[in-house]
């Protein structure tokens, strides 16, 4: 059995005038949300034996926030293929993970993270999947259990969504502004 955890980067700042989207930082609420997700990971005693992430600034800062909340380092491998990639690209990347690794964390962007979750977890498989189909907010963590022995066997509809944790689920002040 393998587990793939997807984490979308925290809320970014559109007020910051950066030249490239790649350099856009997280905002204050995003920093708080990332730290809160990190505390939740620690409370749940989740651990990852493989962490791969987009090198975009907002992802790097999300990981820093998660590490602050968790109280330990994730030590990600930075992979430029994750930056703004499609679900198909993310699937190919995950299929290449070492089979010696059972619990992977992938930190990236939408729509790739959301689309990958929707590819891996079959429609009608429960309320968590229904929530994910409505919206995959920033700093949201999705944990997908996979009944596979090898990452190369990762394919559509092979997953079961065990967790779909939005920052607002843990702290209502981290929810939408509406």
């Amino acid at each position: 059995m393998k587990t793939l955890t997807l984490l979308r980067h925290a809320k970014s700042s559109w007020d910051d005038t950066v030249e490239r989207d790649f350099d856009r930082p997280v905002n204050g609420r995003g920093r708080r949300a990332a730290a809160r997700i990190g505390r939740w990971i620690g409370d749940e005693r989740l651990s990852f034996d493989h962490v791969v992430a987009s090198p975009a600034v907002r992802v790097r800062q999300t990981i820093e926030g998660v590490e602050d909340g968790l109280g330990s380092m994730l030590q990600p491998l930075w992979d430029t293929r994750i930056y703004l990639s499609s679900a198909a690209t993310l699937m190919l990347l995950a299929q290449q993970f070492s089979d010696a690794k059972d619990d992977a964390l992938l930190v990236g962007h939408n729509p790739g993270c959301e689309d990958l979750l929707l590819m891996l977890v079959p429609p009608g498989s429960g309320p968590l999947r229904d929530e994910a189909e409505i919206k995959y907010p920033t700093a949201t963590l999705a944990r997908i259990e996979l009944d596979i022995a090898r990452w190369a066997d990762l394919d559509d509809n092979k997953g079961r969504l065990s967790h779909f944790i939005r920052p607002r689920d843990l702290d209502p002040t981290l929810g939408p502004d509406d």
Side-chain angles (χ1 to χ4, degrees), residues 24 60 81 86 98 118 135 142 165:
R24 194 161 28 92
R60 287 178 179 271
R81 294 175 293 176
S86 68
S98 166
L118 297 177
K135 186 172 184 183
I165 304 297

Side-chain angles (χ1 to χ4, degrees), residues 139-156:
T140 293
L141 181 142
R143 192 156 170 86
I144 304 167
E145 295 173 352
L146 302 155
D147 191 18
I148 57 174
R150 301 174 335 125
W151 286 106
D153 296 333
L154 184 66
D155 203 356
D156 292 2

Side-chain angles (χ1 to χ4, degrees), residues 54-115:
S54 163
V57 169
R58 60 191 176 273
V59 172
R60 287 178 179 271
Q61 291 177 339
T62 298
I63 289 171
E64 289 168 4
V66 169
E67 290 171 339
D68 288 346
L70 182 58
S72 66
M73 304 299 284
L74 293 173
Q75 300 177 329
L77 300 173
W78 306 106
D79 193 321
T80 56
R81 294 175 293 176
I82 298 171
Y83 176 67
L84 301 180
S85 65
S86 68
T89 299
L90 295 176
M91 175 92 77
L92 287 171
L93 178 75
Q95 289 169 335
Q96 296 169 7
F97 291 167
S98 166
D99 290 332
K101 309 297 184 182
D102 292 323
D103 203 331
L105 171 64
L106 190 152
V107 189
H109 309 264
N110 255 9
C113 286
E114 178 177 350
D115 291 346

Side-chain angles (χ1 to χ4, degrees):
M1 178 148 150
K2 304 288 186 194
T3 303
L4 178 62
T5 301
L6 304 174
L7 177 62
R8 183 178 175 199
H9 68 77
K11 189 156 188 66
S12 59
S13 175
W14 289 95
D15 296 334
D16 198 302
T17 56
V18 294
E19 288 186 30
R20 302 182 316 157
D21 174 74
F22 186 89
D23 298 322
R24 194 161 28 92
V26 298
N27 65 19
R29 186 170 72 185
R31 283 189 292 279
R32 291 189 309 277
R36 185 61 191 95
I37 289 292
R39 285 193 304 280
W40 182 86
I41 291 169
D43 292 346
E44 294 294 313
R45 299 177 191 251
L46 301 183
S47 63
F48 311 102
D49 56 15
H50 185 61
V51 180
V52 62
S54 163
V57 169
R58 60 191 176 273
V59 172
R60 287 178 179 271
Q61 291 177 339
T62 298
I63 289 171
E64 289 168 4
V66 169
E67 290 171 339
D68 288 346
L70 182 58
S72 66
M73 304 299 284
L74 293 173
Q75 300 177 329
L77 300 173
W78 306 106
D79 193 321
T80 56
R81 294 175 293 176
I82 298 171
Y83 176 67
L84 301 180
S85 65
S86 68
T89 299
L90 295 176
M91 175 92 77
L92 287 171
L93 178 75
Q95 289 169 335
Q96 296 169 7
F97 291 167
S98 166
D99 290 332
K101 309 297 184 182
D102 292 323
D103 203 331
L105 171 64
L106 190 152
V107 189
H109 309 264
N110 255 9
C113 286
E114 178 177 350
D115 291 346
L116 181 59
L117 182 157
L118 297 177
M119 284 172 60
L120 293 174
V121 180
S125 59
L128 293 178
R129 205 257 190 211
D130 295 343
E131 286 293 318
E133 191 167 1
I134 294 168
K135 186 172 184 183
Y136 194 127
T138 53
T140 293
L141 181 142
R143 192 156 170 86
I144 304 167
E145 295 173 352
L146 302 155
D147 191 18
I148 57 174
R150 301 174 335 125
W151 286 106
D153 296 333
L154 184 66
D155 203 356
D156 292 2
N157 299 317
K158 292 247 180 157
R160 185 184 77 76
L161 188 58
S162 63
H163 296 86
F164 187 71
I165 304 297
R166 300 167 294 203
R168 72 175 182 224
D169 297 330
L170 305 171
D171 179 349
T173 68
L174 297 171
D177 290 328
D178 48 39

